[in-house]
Amino acid sequence: EIVMTQSPATLSVSPGERATLSCRASQSVSSNLAWYQQKPGQAPRLLIYDASTRASDIPARFSGSGSGTAFTLTISSLQSEDFAVYYCQHYNNWPPMYTFGQGTKLEIK
Amino acid sequence: EVQLVESGGDLVQPGGSLRLSCAASGFTFSSHWMHWVRQAPGKGLIWVARVDSDGSSTSYADSVKGRFTISRDSANSTLYLQMNSLRAEDTAVYYCARDGTGTTPTIDFWGQGTLVTVSS
C-alpha cells in the first residue's frame, strides 16, 4: 500500500508571499500525482494533475513539480482566496488506487 | 455547467442500510467513470469506490468491500452507492465525483456532498 505524506501540517504565510507545500510517496508513483484545494464547507477542486499540469481555469500562480516520490505545490504570490486545505493524491487506473495525503492547511500569517 | 448533486444522506443506526444518489448534468454521463469519496468530520479525503463508464466494472476500498455497492443508471444520469452493514466509522460526508476519463487521469469534478451519520 502506498502512503502519501504531506508536510507541513499547517503553513502560515502572508498574502503576496510564496507558499511551498510538500508531498512524499512511500514508493515511486511516477508522475501520477494530483493536487486539490478545499475551502471550508466546500467540495475539493482539482488544481494540478500528472504532477505538473494545471487543470482548466486554474491560475498560473499555482504550479506543481516532482516525480517518483517527492512532489511540491507552489503558489507564487498568495491571494486571500488561496487560504485553504490542500491535498495531494496518487492515482492509478489499474489496480485502482486513489490515495490522498492527510492535507496541509495553508493559513494567513 | 457540470453539476453533481448528491442526496440520501441521513442518520442511521449501526448495522443499518442507506442508499445515496447523485444526479449528474452538464456533461455526457455515460462517457465518464464515476467515484464516491468520503470525508469524516474534520478529517481528510478517503476514496470509496469507482464504476467504469458502462457500469460493467467496479472497484472498492478494502474498508467497504463486501458492504457497499456502486452502480449507475446512464439513462437517468444517476450514480448510486448502496451502503449496508453500516458502522460508526462510516460516518462522513460522501462526495460524488467525476473522473476525467480521457481528458484528465483522475477525479476532476466533485459534488457538494451528503452527510451520513451512523449512530445509535
Side-chain angles (χ1 to χ4, degrees):
Chain A
E1 177 191 352
I2 296 176
V3 176
M4 308 301 294
T5 303
Q6 294 185 240
S7 62
T10 303
L11 182 62
S12 299
V13 183
S14 299
E17 293 189 340
R18 173 189 297 257
T20 302
L21 288 68
S22 296
C23 176
R24 186 168 295 274
S26 59
Q27 62 190 80
S28 178
V29 298
S30 186
S31 294
N32 295 346
L33 193 285
W35 289 94
Y36 296 87
Q37 176 194 67
Q38 187 178 32
K39 297 179 181 179
Q42 295 187 18
R45 176 175 70 144
L46 177 65
L47 300 175
I48 301 284
Y49 62 91
D50 288 348
S52 61
T53 303
R54 270 192 305 277
S56 297
D57 299 327
I58 301 302
R61 65 180 181 273
F62 291 91
S63 63
S65 63
S67 66
T69 62
F71 301 88
T72 300
L73 174 69
T74 301
I75 310 171
S76 60
S77 178
L78 280 165
Q79 307 297 302
S80 58
E81 63 266 28
D82 299 335
F83 292 96
V85 178
Y86 291 83
Y87 293 94
C88 65
Q89 178 216 38
H90 162 56
Y91 52 85
N92 194 60
N93 284 346
W94 193 262
M97 191 176 301
Y98 301 89
T99 307
F100 293 89
Q102 81 279 19
T104 290
K105 181 180 181 181
L106 180 58
E107 64 177 26
I108 300 175
K109 186 175 181 179
Chain B
E1 178 192 7
V2 174
Q3 287 196 5
L4 298 170
V5 180
E6 302 93 336
S7 61
D10 204 348
L11 170 63
V12 60
Q13 291 189 340
S17 298
L18 206 58
R19 189 176 84 155
L20 306 183
S21 301
C22 170
S25 61
F27 65 101
T28 304
F29 182 72
S30 60
S31 296
H32 289 260
W33 296 353
M34 295 294 294
H35 302 261
W36 288 98
V37 179
R38 69 185 181 185
Q39 186 171 36
K43 302 297 184 181
L45 301 165
I46 303 291
W47 175 78
V48 172
R50 185 191 80 188
V51 61
D52 69 358
S53 305
D54 65 5
S56 62
S57 177
T58 58
S59 303
Y60 299 91
D62 287 345
S63 59
V64 307
K65 202 171 294 183
R67 300 189 298 124
F68 289 12
T69 302
I70 187 173
S71 62
R72 63 193 297 161
D73 177 354
S74 289
N76 292 299
S77 298
T78 303
L79 178 72
Y80 300 102
L81 184 68
Q82 177 67 43
M83 304 185 294
N84 298 331
S85 303
L86 282 161
R87 307 166 180 168
E89 54 264 35
D90 295 320
T91 294
V93 172
Y94 283 73
Y95 293 102
C96 165
R98 185 184 79 168
D99 193 281
T101 315
T103 303
T104 56
T106 187
I107 294 168
D108 68 350
F109 193 83
W110 303 62
Q112 288 302 307
T114 188
L115 177 62
V116 173
T117 303
V118 184
S119 175
S120 55

